Every structure is written in C-alpha cells, then in structure tokens.
Amino acid sequence: MAKQHVNTTINGDPVEFLCEPDQTVLDVLRDVLGLTGSKEGCGTGDCGACSVIVDGRLSCGCLMLGAEAEGREITTVEGIAEGDKLHPVQQRILEEGALQCAFCTPGFVVAAKALIDQNPDPTETEARYWLAGNLCRCTGYDKIIRAVMNAAADVRGEAA
Amino acid sequence: MTYEDGKLKVVGTRPIRPDGVDKVTGRANFGADHSMPGMLWGRILRSPHAHARITGIDVSKAEALPGVKAVVTGADMAESSGSADAGESAINLRDLSRNVLAHDKVLYDGHAIAAIAATSDKIAREALKLIDVGYEVLPHVMDVDEAMKPDAPLLHDDMFTEGIEPTPETSSNIAKKMVIGFGDVDDGFAKADVIIERTLKTAPVHQGYIEPHACVATISEDGQAVVWCSSQGQFVIRDLCSQLLGMEAADVRVIPAEIGGGFGGKTTVYLEPVALMLSQKSSRPVKMTMTRGEVFRATGPTSASSMDVKIGATRDGRITAASAEFRFQAGAFPGSPVGAACMASFAPYDLENVSITGYDVVTNGPKVAAYRAPGAPQGAYAVETVVDELAEALNMDPVDFRALNGAREGTKAPYGATFKVVGNLECLEATKDHPHYKSNLGPDQGRGVASGFWFNIGGQSAATVAINPDGTVSVVEGNPDIGGSRASMAMMAAEVFGVAVEKVRPMIADTASIAHNDVTGGSRVTFATGMAVVQASEDAVEQLKKRAAKMWDVEVEDVVWQDGAAHTATKDAPLTLADIAAQAGRTGGPITGNASINARGAGPAFTTHICDVEVDRETGAVEILRYTAIQDAGKAIHPSFVEGQMQGGVAQGVGWALNEEYIYSTDGNMENPGFLDYRMPVASDLPMIDTVVIEVPNPSHPFGVRGVGEAPIVPPLAAVANAVYDAVGVRMTELPISPPRLLAAIDAYKAAAE
Amino acid sequence: MEYQSPGTVEEAVSLLAGASGTSKVLAGGTDLLVQLRSGFVEPDLVVDLKRIDALTSITEDAGGFRIGAAVSCAELGEHAALSAAWPGIVEAARLIGSEQIQSRSSLGGNLCNASPAADTVPALIAARAVCSVVGPGGQRDIPVEDIVTAPGETSLQPGEIVVSLNLPARPSRSADAYLRFIPRTEMDIAVVGSGVSLTLSEDGTVSDAHVGLGAVAPTALLVSEAGQALVGTSCDDAALDAAAAAASAACDPIDDKRGTVEYRVRVAGVLTKRAAAIAYQRAGSR
C-alpha cells in the first residue's frame, strides 16, 4: 500500500510529508513531524487534547486523516504564540493558574483561541459549551473559564 | 524553624509557575512525547474474558511476521514474591507480576496476556491478531456482595481470609477482614433516641486522567536500563521494575516525564516492566502507549462499594454510637482502600462508641489503584448521607448537627489517633456563615452539605539546592509535578533565602540524580517535600552565613540572614546572596544545601461542601447550580493551586455522584471504555466552584502546610445526594444518581405517596 | 487501505462501484475514523467526498433547500436562511458532539452511519426530508426514513452515495424543533431524541404535524399518530399529552449502557411534548 504524499501548511509554513492512508493528522503531527504539543487523550474525538485549527475551524487532529490535510492550513498549539509573545489565552491561563497537570492545556489553548477568533465577547455559558469538547480532569474548569473570559476581554482591548 | 505569617513575602502570593510557559506552548514533554533512535513500538494483547484459565499461548505466527522483533508472555517473567513499599501502600509483587502479564489465569476483561515489539505500531497491532490463546472460560463475579457469598466463583484458590482467627480452611474471595473502633456501640445505641441505618452502594469509577499511560524503555547488553515515563513517582517505578525483573536498582534509571494527571492511578507499573522485557529481547528501545480503552479496561479504577452505616443520637443531637460495615471491591487482586475507608469515614465526628468493619474482596475487574483520598469518598457518601438523615430526623440544621458532634483538638479518631490542632469546626463555621448557605432556593431545587476528612501523609523526601555563581538558586527535588508543586517548592525556597521567586528554578530529578522520594500522592508533596526543600534551603543559608563570616572575617554566630543577604553588626553593607555566590570559589567551593527526611506530623485536612442542585422531575436530570468548597489547608503556599485542587476534587466528586460508572455486560466485559460513555463532567456541566481556604496552621510544618489534594473529593458524593434529597425528597442510596435511576426513584416515591 | 478524494460525484460513484474489497465513504469522518482506529472496520478503499462541490454546498431551490451531504454542521448553523426556516434541523445538527466535531460532522454522515441515535435523523424525518441518491444506475430520490434499515445498515446499493438532503418549501407559519436527552449537557449520544415539525392554519390551530423519534427503536421512527394528535389543536396540554402518549407508544427500545427501556419510553413522550410546544410557539410567532 502506497504512502500518501501531502502538501499542506502548518503554523504558516509549507510542509510536505508522506503518511500511511490510515494515519490521522494527529499521528502525522506527533510521529511524522515531531510536533508533540498536540496530545492524544482518547483518539476518538472525545477529549479535545489534540485540538487543531483547520482552515479556520476548530477540529480534532485524531478525527481527520493526514491525507485530508492536502492544501489545508493547520494551526497547532505550537503556532498560537506570535514569536515570543504569548497569545492572551496562554498568558491568562498562566496568570489564573488554570492548569494543573497541563496535559489538556494545549487543546484548551487552541480551542479557546478558536472561540475568541469567532466570538470575542462570549458569555460564560457560551464559553463553557464551546469548550465542552475539551476534557480537563484537574481543574474543575473554573480557572480555565475565567482565563478564557479574561483573554477575550484582552483581545477586545478591555481591561479585565 | 517556623515562619511567621505576617512577614511572608513570597508564600501566599500567586506567581506564574516556573514550568508554565512550556505547558501553554506545547513544549512540555509528557509520557508519550519522547522517542529514541531505532525505537520499536510495543503493543499488548488483552483478555476478552472476565475470568478464564489460559490453556496455551502460541506466539509463533506473530513472531514470524516481518517487522516483529520480540514477543513476551507471563512465562518470560521471573517468579516474584514479597512486597514493595509504594509509599501509600505495600504492593504484593507476586500479584503485581500477574497483573502486568497474566501467568495462568486471566482475571478480568483487559488483563494483559502477551506483548509484541515491532518496527511500527501498525505491525505490532497486526501481530497481536496472530497470537493464539486458548481459554477455558470460567464463571465470573463482579458485584462485591455476590463475590462474598460462599458459592461465588473463586478468583484465587489459595486465598484465605486474613484477619479472622483462626484462619479459615476454605478459600474465598474475601482477602481481608478488619475491625476498628472503641467504646461499646450496643450500649451507645441503647442510649439513642433516634437511630438511622442505611445500606448504600457505589459503582467502580476511574481516576480519569487525560494522559494515557506511556513509556519508552531501553536496556543495554550490560543490563543497564533507562525508562522514560510519566508516573507519580520515578522511584516506585524503578523499584517495582527492578524487583519484578530481578535487576539492581542502580541499573534502572527512571527519568520522569511531565505527568498528565494521575490521581493515584500512576503509582504502580503496567507498561514499564513489559517495555523493559521487550527491549531486552529485541536489543532496541521500545515505546509503549495505552489506548484510552486499555486505560479503562486494565488500569486502576477505584473500588465499588457496598456499605451499611448506622448512627444513633439523643434528642438533643448528640451522637451516642456509630457503626459501619464497608465491603470494597478490590478487583482481581487484594488491595482495596477499605482500610482507609474504615479509618476516615467517621473522622469528622467526636465519637464515644464506634465500631467499623471492613472487607477487602476480589472480583473480576481490573485491580483497583489508589484514587484521590482512597476509600474516603465512598465511606463519606454513606456516613454523610446518614448524618443528613439523622439531622433531619432531629429537626436540626445539618451544619449545626455536625458542629455539635464535630471532631476537634483532643478528639480521638476511630483509627486511634488523637487530633492535635485541626480545622473542622472552623470549616463548619465558615459554611454556616457563607452567603451560599443563606441564599434562597427555587422550585425543584435543593441544597446538600457534607463533610470530609483526609489524613494527609508525610513520608520520605530528599531535596538539594545549589547556589549558582550569579546568585540564582537551583532546587532539585524528586516528586513529579502534577498540579503546580514546582511553583510551591520554588516559593518556599525563595522565602527561606529571601529572594524573588524568579531567582529560584526548581527541577525534578531522575532516579540517578537524587535520593529516594516517595510517590506524589496522599497530599504529601507540599508538606513533606516542601519541608525537605525548606530544610535544604536552610542548610544552604547556613553555608552562606559561614562564607559571609569568612569574607568578613567575623564569627558565624555574628552573622544573620535577612532579606536575601548576610548582615553583621560591624559592617554597614550586607553581603547579598549574589555577592557570596560570586566568591564561592575563593571561600570553599560550590555552595549547596541538602535534606533527606522522613517527614512526620502531617496535619489532617477537614472540609465541608455546600451543593445546590435543580432536578428535572420528568427526566431525572440533575443540574449543579452552585457549589462551594470550604477546606482547611493549613497554609496555602500558592493559593491558586490550592483553590484549583479544591475545584478539581469537586468536579471529580460530582462526576462520581451523577454519571461515572463502569458498566459491564453479562459476560463481564466493560461496555463503556471510552470518554463518550464513561461520562466525566465537561465544562458545561459545572458552574464556577467557589472556594474558601481556611488556614489553621499545621504546627509540624515550617509554613503550616497540611496538604490539600485529597480532601476535596471526599464530600461531593454525599453533598450532591443530600441536595437531590432536598430537591425531590428521594434518598439516593446508590451511585451514580444517573437520570434513569433518579427518575425511577422519583416515580416510586410518587407512587408510594399516592 | 487506499484513500481517494474525487472532485465529482461521477468519479466518486465510479470509484465505489469499481472497488473490489470493502469500501467506505468519508464525509466528516467523525464516526468512520473512530471505527477505523478501533479496527471495527478495515476498508480497502476510503472515498473522501469533501472535495465535491455538490456535497459541500447549500442551495436554495424553489423555496426549499438542498443541503450537500458533507456540509459540516457548523456551516449549517451559520446559514441564516436555513436556520430561520428549519431551526429544528439546525439545532439537531448543532447538538452533534463538540465544536471540534461540528467542524466535520455532516447530515449525510450522521444519516448513513445508521445509528438509531443519530440526532439529525428524527428532525429530518419530521421535516419530511428527501435524499438525492446517486449511483451507477443514476439518480433517485428517497424519503429520509427509508435510508436506514437497521442499526449500521442502509438501503443504499453498492456504489450509491447520498448527495444531498432536500427540504421542501415551507408554508408560512411553519416551524420545527428538536430536543434530545443526554445525561450530561454535551458530548453524549442521545438517549432519546424527538423532532417535531408543524404548520399552523389561519386560526392558529395545527394544520399539519410530523414527529420523528430517535434512539427508541432499531431505526429512527416517523410517528404519524403523534403528529396526528397535534393536528387540529392549539397544542394545549391535552393535545401535548396525547402526542406524548403516542410517541411513547411507538417506542420499541432496548436496555443499554445509555438508558433503560422504561426510561426511553417515558422520556420520548416528555421530549415530544416539549419539542411540540417549542415548535408551536415558533410557528405562532411567524
């Protein structure tokens, strides 16, 4: 069985890779490209630890074939900060202490960025439902939600 | 020495954790993130049966598949005996060996049978299908009460109940019986005006850490090995691997990865010895990861329980006697946390007469592993439900009733200890005063309260601090950081040195780089390892004072350390830490501080939770409207992470109360081994979780730390159940309170009322 | 396994019709990739439909809509005209999984995965949706409830794919609603789902009503009796109770890890009553 030859864009850079037809985007990121920031918590789309943004839409890396990445633009957790400037979501997560074991954190960073890109003024309920696909077992979500709300305010240019 | 609360500059503040940036940018390396050149991929074949004798294993076809480099089975493991100290509990090595790879019988769905290492994960998975295993399927038993019956299917022919004199002559599934207590409960119940007695049950629940188990292991031809894995303790991984495989401890270097949650479930080995065996056989590094399904089927849930609790009280609200029988499911091998359940469940109460019996019972499920305050949540669910009912029967406010009977300084706990300074009454008082407790409820809404207790533990910790030439400080410790402990360690060291926390950088060393540390567990790290870090820092401060004395040519007795510098009466200008560090080469060489301790004097944690729910009477759905957790932390080093522990414990407890459970088919196969149907709370299931951190200092810790991680998972089960009762009048005596179960109970209640 | 991403329906049909082993169609992939990973399916060919325009666009057609079978649920939610005309279908689609899943999951995939618990199918049944199916023998239109024949099985012939789901033009004062019950607030598979679509006459009584139920039988059900119970009424309590009773009576569920028979029967009625009330209120406000 032949490998798939894929040209795609990851975190703004052109990337070319070969993958097995049944390898997922997550497999490719982690095992082919060495981008291990995206985590595998379930492999079935239930935990969100592998969240990536594909052509502007939040997706699970584990629910997309590597071959489907052809011609797409993918953003991973490694591409959220701009140079040495953390994204407000990252900064607020740090300030709120909204991470404990931090295994889910990359997924939350990506999902929260996608939320704020799409809706910079979410209500707490909207933030909770948007992030329902990201499981966290450590924090009880409280500080994560606070961090996301504050980050949204930062993006809107308001003092939180 | 102890540090005065009013003068603290770093402790009690909320700095950004030193490992934080790596964790929000994806740089941090967890168990599965490490790879090695030439690495093979390992996979495990698991039992499809809940109970079966293995009649044969034929691996020849798998071995013949191109790309397969090694196959191992239980027959490749040396026979183990004795036990290993795993910090929170002793681990029986014979059982552990059989859990890692089944030897003659499989005892649960998912039990490991054989493992394969191949040049790709895909080939390894393919090869698993080529292993032929012969099974003689045996009858199985899952329910703890069923397993205790004399005619139940037996898991271990050679198991005779411990704790009964004389030892029984027939084998059974009851591994152990224990009885604790004091006073005369018969006499006490005779004095009671009201007695409430209930039987309650809970389902097996999983720790639910989001990171599946993972490791990379490599072993050289001379027998020296390196294991790179995420765990709650690199030393326990080293010790268990070396003992199971007959290696010397110094030959197994375990490098701790970042750990993606453990909650007790990563205090033992599953993959690591197998990866070492595969590496030995293939002479290649081997990487192994579990799927989520494997995590559910084969790693530690905590015990299902069946519990009888009886409490009596006088009309004026005094408890006269309390008794309980706790029957805990251990899974395939003995070792449920029933002992801790016996010891902890009545601890919030000042009792004269108490008797508690516990049974540790094997069943055809995965061997249970520690889960956050092991045993206490189940026991507290039973006790706090009965306490709630008793308060209601006495027409007393449930918080007042708890306070009237509350454990305090001088109370003798059911397990024999006498409490020193504890914060139980302070928590209850804060509960009563909280705006949440005074707020109004709407229709179909209810409020529940429940108390909880955890011992907190000390144990062995080692720490080293090194003063760098520029005056910065490196702290080396040996406990994996699951919840921000690096920050707490750096803060305590910074406080001792009198420098900014950013000048102190902590790191977690591998097993070859620091002395033994017990596991990260039992709420011990900030207390015990923190104490080691404080003592190592104080040791370094003494060195710094000596160097300063030398530089000034004064007596060391004339030097004091304050605000990050040495001071002496005869000199106007102090010598800062950086000044002394810069001259270290000329004053005697590098400056370090060390401490190796077995920390004693852990201060118990008490906590009270308030939970409001709303019940949809037509569907049985329960919504958590508001939640407040009040807990005595002793001293919060980093308040955000203390609050985070409390909030996280609440979320896990709410999951346990409402929806989480292992669901088995009639054949004993787990039907919900994934996050889709093992329903842990998601963000939209919960409100903000309010916290009140009470600080009644632990006199045995330099900053007063008690430990916070375990206690917050103890009260939620009962707090939720009591709130549901308050909302709809139905006592839920079986967890989880899933919608079908609650709707049926509401209907039965309505039918009975009509 | 071979992966192909054809650009036209004809190419897709030709690939599927010409395949010798097992072949699978990939729309959003949110079910298929889980099945691939678990080894539940091991196809020789996977045909990705997301590069075909007809499957990834929504067109308004004579007052109705043709929704490409692979249009993501997130895109459905963003389509203002569709959301206004068919709020029930859109809310059913928006209930599938997380936001991550929403970016990928589709009506065609939700339907052809053939789960009895699919969220959008009861809503589509209530809406009287019709599927445009294309295969080696050409195109045919099939009522949505005739696609799934049993859990995991469809009436599609080898080489056939669902190209679009077609919604009829709406009379004024029409609306739909969908409710499902899950134990959590998100991320679960429906324990029961109920879709109601209705149209009001000038006097405000219901002139036409259809009820679809999910997760209460081997396939999603069109419950005519429940719809009939609403016709001629103003969705008063008696009518809602009658519809609920009819919905419960139509159930033929199983006990499983997600719910019991008794629970599903009971809650099917509860949700039908509630969904009908919402649909009635929506229609009345138009």
Side-chain angles (χ1 to χ4, degrees), chain C residues 196-208:
Chain C
V196 176
S197 177
L198 48 76
T199 298
L200 305 188
S201 54
E202 285 306 309
D203 64 358
T205 58
V206 177
S207 59
D208 188 28

PDB file of all heavy atoms in Angstrom, chain C residues 196-208:
ATOM      1  N   VAL C 196     -40.060  17.596  16.050  1.00  0.00           N
ATOM      2  CA  VAL C 196     -41.449  17.911  15.702  1.00  0.00           C
ATOM      3  C   VAL C 196     -41.427  19.039  14.679  1.00  0.00           C
ATOM      4  O   VAL C 196     -40.731  20.038  14.867  1.00  0.00           O
ATOM      5  CB  VAL C 196     -42.251  18.356  16.949  1.00  0.00           C
ATOM      6  CG1 VAL C 196     -43.675  18.763  16.549  1.00  0.00           C
ATOM      7  CG2 VAL C 196     -42.275  17.257  17.996  1.00  0.00           C
ATOM      8  N   SER C 197     -42.184  18.856  13.598  1.00  0.00           N
ATOM      9  CA  SER C 197     -42.332  19.918  12.603  1.00  0.00           C
ATOM     10  C   SER C 197     -43.824  20.140  12.392  1.00  0.00           C
ATOM     11  O   SER C 197     -44.575  19.161  12.243  1.00  0.00           O
ATOM     12  CB  SER C 197     -41.668  19.501  11.288  1.00  0.00           C
ATOM     13  OG  SER C 197     -41.877  20.500  10.316  1.00  0.00           O
ATOM     14  N   LEU C 198     -44.237  21.375  12.412  1.00  0.00           N
ATOM     15  CA  LEU C 198     -45.664  21.614  12.240  1.00  0.00           C
ATOM     16  C   LEU C 198     -45.945  22.921  11.508  1.00  0.00           C
ATOM     17  O   LEU C 198     -45.097  23.802  11.406  1.00  0.00           O
ATOM     18  CB  LEU C 198     -46.404  21.567  13.577  1.00  0.00           C
ATOM     19  CG  LEU C 198     -45.853  22.348  14.778  1.00  0.00           C
ATOM     20  CD1 LEU C 198     -46.157  23.829  14.623  1.00  0.00           C
ATOM     21  CD2 LEU C 198     -46.456  21.808  16.055  1.00  0.00           C
ATOM     22  N   THR C 199     -47.191  22.988  10.989  1.00  0.00           N
ATOM     23  CA  THR C 199     -47.660  24.169  10.277  1.00  0.00           C
ATOM     24  C   THR C 199     -49.005  24.586  10.891  1.00  0.00           C
ATOM     25  O   THR C 199     -49.813  23.722  11.217  1.00  0.00           O
ATOM     26  CB  THR C 199     -47.870  23.850   8.776  1.00  0.00           C
ATOM     27  OG1 THR C 199     -46.599  23.479   8.228  1.00  0.00           O
ATOM     28  CG2 THR C 199     -48.405  25.051   8.011  1.00  0.00           C
ATOM     29  N   LEU C 200     -49.180  25.895  11.032  1.00  0.00           N
ATOM     30  CA  LEU C 200     -50.423  26.386  11.614  1.00  0.00           C
ATOM     31  C   LEU C 200     -51.344  26.912  10.517  1.00  0.00           C
ATOM     32  O   LEU C 200     -50.888  27.452   9.510  1.00  0.00           O
ATOM     33  CB  LEU C 200     -50.142  27.525  12.604  1.00  0.00           C
ATOM     34  CG  LEU C 200     -49.168  27.257  13.732  1.00  0.00           C
ATOM     35  CD1 LEU C 200     -49.160  28.431  14.709  1.00  0.00           C
ATOM     36  CD2 LEU C 200     -49.509  25.958  14.454  1.00  0.00           C
ATOM     37  N   SER C 201     -52.647  26.769  10.731  1.00  0.00           N
ATOM     38  CA  SER C 201     -53.614  27.371   9.826  1.00  0.00           C
ATOM     39  C   SER C 201     -53.889  28.809  10.283  1.00  0.00           C
ATOM     40  O   SER C 201     -53.344  29.245  11.299  1.00  0.00           O
ATOM     41  CB  SER C 201     -54.906  26.543   9.792  1.00  0.00           C
ATOM     42  OG  SER C 201     -55.379  26.381  11.113  1.00  0.00           O
ATOM     43  N   GLU C 202     -54.743  29.485   9.528  1.00  0.00           N
ATOM     44  CA  GLU C 202     -55.012  30.894   9.828  1.00  0.00           C
ATOM     45  C   GLU C 202     -55.503  31.104  11.250  1.00  0.00           C
ATOM     46  O   GLU C 202     -55.177  32.099  11.892  1.00  0.00           O
ATOM     47  CB  GLU C 202     -56.050  31.457   8.839  1.00  0.00           C
ATOM     48  CG  GLU C 202     -55.497  31.722   7.454  1.00  0.00           C
ATOM     49  CD  GLU C 202     -54.264  32.623   7.480  1.00  0.00           C
ATOM     50  OE1 GLU C 202     -54.337  33.689   8.119  1.00  0.00           O
ATOM     51  OE2 GLU C 202     -53.225  32.242   6.890  1.00  0.00           O
ATOM     52  N   ASP C 203     -56.290  30.129  11.759  1.00  0.00           N
ATOM     53  CA  ASP C 203     -56.877  30.313  13.092  1.00  0.00           C
ATOM     54  C   ASP C 203     -55.910  29.912  14.219  1.00  0.00           C
ATOM     55  O   ASP C 203     -56.277  29.912  15.383  1.00  0.00           O
ATOM     56  CB  ASP C 203     -58.174  29.529  13.217  1.00  0.00           C
ATOM     57  CG  ASP C 203     -57.953  28.020  13.118  1.00  0.00           C
ATOM     58  OD1 ASP C 203     -56.788  27.590  12.914  1.00  0.00           O
ATOM     59  OD2 ASP C 203     -58.924  27.267  13.270  1.00  0.00           O
ATOM     60  N   GLY C 204     -54.697  29.554  13.852  1.00  0.00           N
ATOM     61  CA  GLY C 204     -53.709  29.248  14.881  1.00  0.00           C
ATOM     62  C   GLY C 204     -53.719  27.806  15.326  1.00  0.00           C
ATOM     63  O   GLY C 204     -52.935  27.421  16.203  1.00  0.00           O
ATOM     64  N   THR C 205     -54.577  26.986  14.749  1.00  0.00           N
ATOM     65  CA  THR C 205     -54.512  25.563  15.088  1.00  0.00           C
ATOM     66  C   THR C 205     -53.550  24.866  14.135  1.00  0.00           C
ATOM     67  O   THR C 205     -53.241  25.369  13.046  1.00  0.00           O
ATOM     68  CB  THR C 205     -55.897  24.894  14.989  1.00  0.00           C
ATOM     69  OG1 THR C 205     -56.382  25.064  13.664  1.00  0.00           O
ATOM     70  CG2 THR C 205     -56.862  25.509  16.001  1.00  0.00           C
ATOM     71  N   VAL C 206     -53.115  23.715  14.541  1.00  0.00           N
ATOM     72  CA  VAL C 206     -52.129  22.972  13.753  1.00  0.00           C
ATOM     73  C   VAL C 206     -52.811  22.328  12.563  1.00  0.00           C
ATOM     74  O   VAL C 206     -53.798  21.599  12.724  1.00  0.00           O
ATOM     75  CB  VAL C 206     -51.453  21.888  14.630  1.00  0.00           C
ATOM     76  CG1 VAL C 206     -50.484  21.051  13.800  1.00  0.00           C
ATOM     77  CG2 VAL C 206     -50.741  22.536  15.817  1.00  0.00           C
ATOM     78  N   SER C 207     -52.291  22.616  11.387  1.00  0.00           N
ATOM     79  CA  SER C 207     -52.897  22.014  10.200  1.00  0.00           C
ATOM     80  C   SER C 207     -52.120  20.786   9.738  1.00  0.00           C
ATOM     81  O   SER C 207     -52.653  19.910   9.069  1.00  0.00           O
ATOM     82  CB  SER C 207     -52.978  23.042   9.075  1.00  0.00           C
ATOM     83  OG  SER C 207     -51.673  23.508   8.768  1.00  0.00           O
ATOM     84  N   ASP C 208     -50.851  20.727  10.098  1.00  0.00           N
ATOM     85  CA  ASP C 208     -50.027  19.602   9.634  1.00  0.00           C
ATOM     86  C   ASP C 208     -48.923  19.423  10.670  1.00  0.00           C
ATOM     87  O   ASP C 208     -48.339  20.412  11.127  1.00  0.00           O
ATOM     88  CB  ASP C 208     -49.420  19.951   8.270  1.00  0.00           C
ATOM     89  CG  ASP C 208     -48.714  18.762   7.634  1.00  0.00           C
ATOM     90  OD1 ASP C 208     -49.121  17.615   7.927  1.00  0.00           O
ATOM     91  OD2 ASP C 208     -47.754  18.991   6.873  1.00  0.00           O
TER      92      ASP C 208
END
